[in-house]
Amino acid sequence: MRQNMSAQKNDARIQLEIQSNLPSESAILDNTNYKTTFKDKQSALDELQNLNTQLQNLGHLDSTYKLTTKNDTLYIATFLLDKSYPYITLKIKKNKDLESYITQTGYRIKNDSITIETAFAKAYLKKLSSIASNNGNPFATFQIANITKTTQHNLEGTLKYSFENRRTIDKIEIEGYTNVPKSFLKHSVKLKEGEIFNREKLNKQSKELSSLPFVNQTKTPQVLFNPDSTTVYLYLERKNVNKFDGFLGFANEEDNSFSLNGYLDLLLTNNFNYGETFILNYKADGGDQSQLHLKTKLPYLFKSPLGIEASLNLFRKDSTFSTTQQSLDLVYQLNQKNHLTLGYESEQSENLNDNTITQLLNLEDFTSKRLTTSFTHQNLSTDLFFPTKRRLYFRAAFGNREITENLDKQISLTAILENEFTLSDKHSIFAKNTTQYLISNNFLTNELYRFGGILTLRGFEENSLLANLYNTLNTEYRYKLNEGIYINSILDLGYLENRIEKTKQTLYSFGLGTGIQTKAGILKLNIANGLFDNQEFRFSDTKLHVILEVSF
């Protein structure tokens, strides 16, 4: 029996009750944070002292309390807050850096002092420390000394400080992938030697570094502070992001046979440790047309923020015509996600038919020369299946098209907006809108935009649609069954205008798709059916596309 009573006594916990005889003071106490249950008496007394310090920091400098006990486990503390001192005036000594830090907090120094709320004083000192750290003084300290009371029930004090000479990043050491393109660190990540050390900025730069497509960070950057130098250590490893993907397409023909078409896309990135990109894209519909697209991007030439892009595009329509497009752009990288271009493009098209067919199809030999400008914003994701989270692309081209000796002014406009809306870890919605508009006094068949197919309007043959103006909206509802497989709906809408044929058409396509991570790569299957406005559904028009994307 005695053992049970002893155990209950040892298990008893101290209860603390906080109160005040004045309702206004009780409201202030209710807005503070304090504990009410403790394992022993000393813990309760320590909490009372912490609470009294809180009240003094709020301006109740004369706060006191009286402690009484009802029994061995219940303590009652009655507080008397007395008068509060809501404001404190801080005297500021002349110092250029200190004055700059205070200005950054939003306060102005008048008569060598500033006045702040007493309750805000502790947070204000922390804010000054953060600003000083972000301006090259990570070891700066601030405190309020010589606090006195004024007759207006406010406080006065002196703002004391201590900080050393401003620190800069004297050296950047790279562990692991030492051949990382240094220009990307300087211009894309904005991390370079000689800049003022800023811990907050370094954390942001670490995130930017992680989003470089060809770099992995094995751990966050570390900083070594020596008495006379500051060194930042980066821990990186090279990531292979070369990609190869292609598909086979099957479609029923009118004679009940099927046609085979293909697509090849090769992306090579940073193979020479320069951050360069090379793209090879080939399309063939298995019948009457083929297309080859080559593009290369060389960023940060001569360690400057400028780079170049060059592309070559070859298109052939059976024995009807062939077209060659060439472009050269000067690229200015605003930051890792945004860049501007200014360039020049030329296009030559050759009519391969005789004059009779030429007149029927409205084909002509022509050349065009245009000045171009573009803006691109791209936000990448770490998602295995959907690496692009958001992309905006705007491009305008201004120039002339020449047929024999006739010149026509032309403007070509392109806008692409795509975004993935994440609903949860498993559910998301994807939308992509593409618009192209050719402005000209007259048009040729061999200069119209060609679209349709898995990358533009699913359910239609590759490049089977011609227009001087078109708009497509690709949408998907995506559901991840697990980390290695997803399914998606397909609903595409399109609109085109063809001034040559004097037609305006609305187009639809719908279907289903799936993606599977395999040992060989990512396998994507899409089945879709495309319809023109007022056209009846025919299952024979259904297109099946198989894509295999391999990273190496």
Side-chain angles (χ1 to χ4, degrees):
M1 184 70 176
R2 288 181 178 178
Q3 291 180 351
N4 290 337
M5 291 180 63
S6 177
Q8 290 176 2
K9 187 174 181 179
N10 290 336
D11 290 340
R13 300 180 69 84
I14 301 297
Q15 298 295 322
L16 178 62
E17 183 178 314
I18 306 295
Q19 65 180 25
S20 176
N21 294 326
L22 299 175
S24 60
E25 293 185 353
S26 296
I28 295 173
L29 289 170
D30 291 341
N31 289 328
T32 57
N33 296 319
Y34 58 86
K35 298 178 183 178
T36 58
T37 304
F38 306 91
K39 62 180 181 180
D40 53 45
K41 180 179 178 180
Q42 187 58 47
S43 299
L45 294 177
D46 291 341
E47 183 67 11
L48 276 174
Q49 187 58 45
N50 290 335
L51 176 57
N52 200 45
T53 301
Q54 278 191 61
L55 294 169
Q56 290 175 352
N57 289 335
L58 291 173
H60 302 279
L61 264 66
D62 300 321
S63 170
T64 60
Y65 62 88
K66 182 180 179 181
L67 184 64
T68 59
T69 59
K70 270 195 172 183
N71 52 51
D72 291 342
T73 60
L74 178 60
Y75 291 81
I76 300 175
T78 303
F79 274 81
L80 177 63
L81 304 188
D82 206 357
K83 298 175 181 178
S84 67
Y85 298 83
Y87 294 97
I88 182 170
T89 298
L90 302 179
K91 295 179 180 179
I92 309 299
K93 292 184 178 180
K94 291 286 186 180
N95 182 283
K96 186 176 181 180
D97 288 334
L98 178 61
E99 292 172 359
S100 173
Y101 302 157
I102 291 174
T103 300
Q104 292 179 56
T105 66
Y107 285 85
R108 290 184 178 181
I109 301 174
K110 295 182 179 179
N111 299 322
D112 296 327
S113 64
I114 61 171
T115 299
I116 63 175
E117 294 182 42
T118 305
F120 180 57
K122 189 175 181 180
Y124 186 74
L125 297 181
K126 288 184 178 180
K127 189 172 184 179
L128 281 175
S129 296
S130 176
I131 291 173
S133 178
N134 292 334
N135 283 271
N137 285 297
F139 302 111
T141 58
F142 299 87
Q143 61 180 340
I144 300 174
N146 306 323
I147 299 177
T148 58
K149 303 172 185 177
T150 68
T151 55
Q152 294 79 22
H153 291 292
N154 289 322
L155 301 174
E156 288 183 349
T158 301
L159 180 61
K160 289 194 171 182
Y161 59 91
S162 173
F163 42 77
E164 57 187 18
N165 292 331
R166 185 172 295 178
R167 284 185 174 267
T168 59
I169 298 176
D170 301 297
K171 195 173 184 180
I172 299 174
E173 292 284 353
I174 299 173
E175 301 288 340
Y177 181 27
T178 57
N179 290 327
V180 62
K182 304 302 189 298
S183 295
F184 276 81
L185 297 182
K186 179 180 179 181
H187 297 293
S188 185
V189 182
K190 309 294 185 184
L191 179 60
K192 55 187 177 182
E193 295 177 355
E195 67 176 6
I196 295 175
F197 175 77
N198 184 326
R199 170 62 73 177
E200 184 177 327
K201 184 178 179 181
L202 182 61
N203 293 336
K204 293 180 181 179
Q205 290 167 331
S206 176
K207 293 181 180 180
E208 292 291 326
L209 192 58
S210 296
S211 62
L212 287 176
F214 46 81
V215 170
N216 277 329
Q217 278 195 100
T218 56
K219 62 179 180 179
T220 57
Q222 305 293 316
V223 184
L224 176 63
F225 296 104
N226 290 316
D228 58 349
S229 65
T230 303
T231 304
V232 174
Y233 287 86
L234 304 178
Y235 303 90
L236 312 176
E237 66 178 9
R238 191 176 189 274
K239 181 167 63 174
N240 294 324
V241 288
N242 296 324
K243 287 186 178 182
F244 166 84
D245 70 81
F247 73 80
L248 294 177
F250 303 89
N252 292 320
E253 301 294 344
E254 294 182 357
D255 58 359
N256 293 325
S257 63
F258 70 92
S259 64
L260 176 68
N261 55 64
Y263 167 81
L264 170 76
D265 196 359
L266 176 66
L267 172 64
L268 302 176
T269 303
N270 195 46
N271 288 276
F272 298 100
N273 297 312
Y274 185 73
E276 78 290 341
T277 301
F278 175 77
I279 296 173
L280 184 151
N281 181 274
Y282 175 75
K283 296 179 183 178
D285 66 357
D288 59 357
Q289 63 182 7
S290 61
Q291 181 176 355
L292 175 65
H293 176 68
L294 300 173
K295 184 176 181 179
T296 186
K297 180 178 179 180
L298 302 176
Y300 307 125
L301 292 176
F302 309 111
K303 299 182 179 180
S304 74
L306 300 176
I308 60 170
E309 286 184 3
S311 68
L312 172 67
N313 190 70
L314 306 175
F315 181 84
R316 184 181 180 91
K317 177 72 172 175
D318 53 53
S319 58
T320 308
F321 68 90
S322 65
T323 300
T324 302
Q325 292 177 319
Q326 300 165 308
S327 68
L328 181 65
D329 294 318
L330 184 66
V331 183
Y332 178 67
Q333 198 87 19
L334 298 173
N335 50 48
Q336 193 168 317
K337 297 178 181 179
N338 306 293
H339 70 260
L340 295 167
T341 71
L342 181 65
Y344 171 82
E345 70 175 15
S346 65
E347 182 177 2
Q348 302 85 35
S349 185
E350 182 181 359
N351 174 28
L352 304 177
N353 281 294
D354 58 36
N355 293 332
T356 303
I357 298 179
T358 294
Q359 293 177 358
L360 291 174
L361 299 179
N362 196 37
L363 298 172
E364 292 280 356
D365 293 343
F366 74 85
T367 60
S368 65
K369 299 175 182 179
R370 298 170 181 166
L371 294 177
T372 65
T373 183
S374 72
F375 169 77
T376 303
H377 167 83
Q378 184 165 270
N379 190 4
L380 299 179
S381 166
T382 57
D383 192 286
L384 177 67
F385 292 115
F386 314 115
T388 301
K389 177 68 177 177
R390 182 182 303 107
R391 180 171 179 258
L392 292 85
Y393 174 74
F394 301 98
R395 183 177 184 275
F398 310 87
N400 298 315
R401 179 200 62 199
E402 182 179 0
I403 305 174
T404 60
E405 296 181 355
N406 297 321
L407 286 178
D408 284 299
K409 291 184 178 181
Q410 292 186 326
I411 300 175
S412 176
L413 303 174
T414 301
I416 301 174
L417 298 88
E418 64 178 278
N419 191 71
E420 182 181 33
F421 301 91
T422 302
L423 306 178
S424 68
D425 291 340
K426 291 183 176 292
H427 303 268
S428 64
I429 294 175
F430 170 78
K432 176 182 179 181
N433 184 267
T434 304
T435 301
Q436 284 197 289
Y437 185 25
L438 179 63
I439 302 173
S440 180
N441 292 328
N442 53 75
F443 299 92
L444 301 173
T445 299
N446 44 329
E447 70 176 350
L448 296 180
Y449 300 120
R450 296 176 287 271
F451 69 105
I454 192 169
L455 299 179
T456 52
L457 201 60
R458 292 163 289 191
F460 291 88
E461 295 287 352
E462 292 293 317
N463 293 326
S464 61
L465 304 171
L466 301 178
N468 59 281
L469 167 64
Y470 77 89
N471 177 271
T472 60
L473 176 62
N474 311 115
T475 66
E476 295 179 2
Y477 164 73
R478 296 167 172 174
Y479 175 68
K480 280 189 177 181
L481 299 175
N482 53 52
E483 292 300 317
I485 184 171
Y486 74 89
I487 57 176
N488 66 275
S489 65
I490 295 175
L491 177 59
D492 294 349
L493 304 175
Y495 172 79
L496 71 83
E497 292 184 9
N498 189 323
R499 291 274 298 276
I500 296 176
E501 298 179 356
K502 298 180 181 179
T503 57
K504 297 180 181 180
Q505 293 179 314
T506 304
L507 311 101
Y508 313 88
S509 68
F510 56 91
L512 295 172
T514 184
I516 306 170
Q517 183 182 7
T518 68
K519 292 182 178 180
I522 297 176
L523 177 65
K524 296 181 181 180
L525 304 175
N526 286 279
I527 181 169
N529 191 293
L531 300 171
F532 290 93
D533 196 17
N534 299 322
Q535 178 185 345
E536 292 185 0
F537 172 81
R538 294 187 302 178
F539 184 78
S540 59
D541 291 334
T542 302
K543 308 293 185 297
L544 171 65
H545 301 289
V546 182
I547 306 171
L548 179 62
E549 182 180 290
V550 180
S551 298
F552 61 95

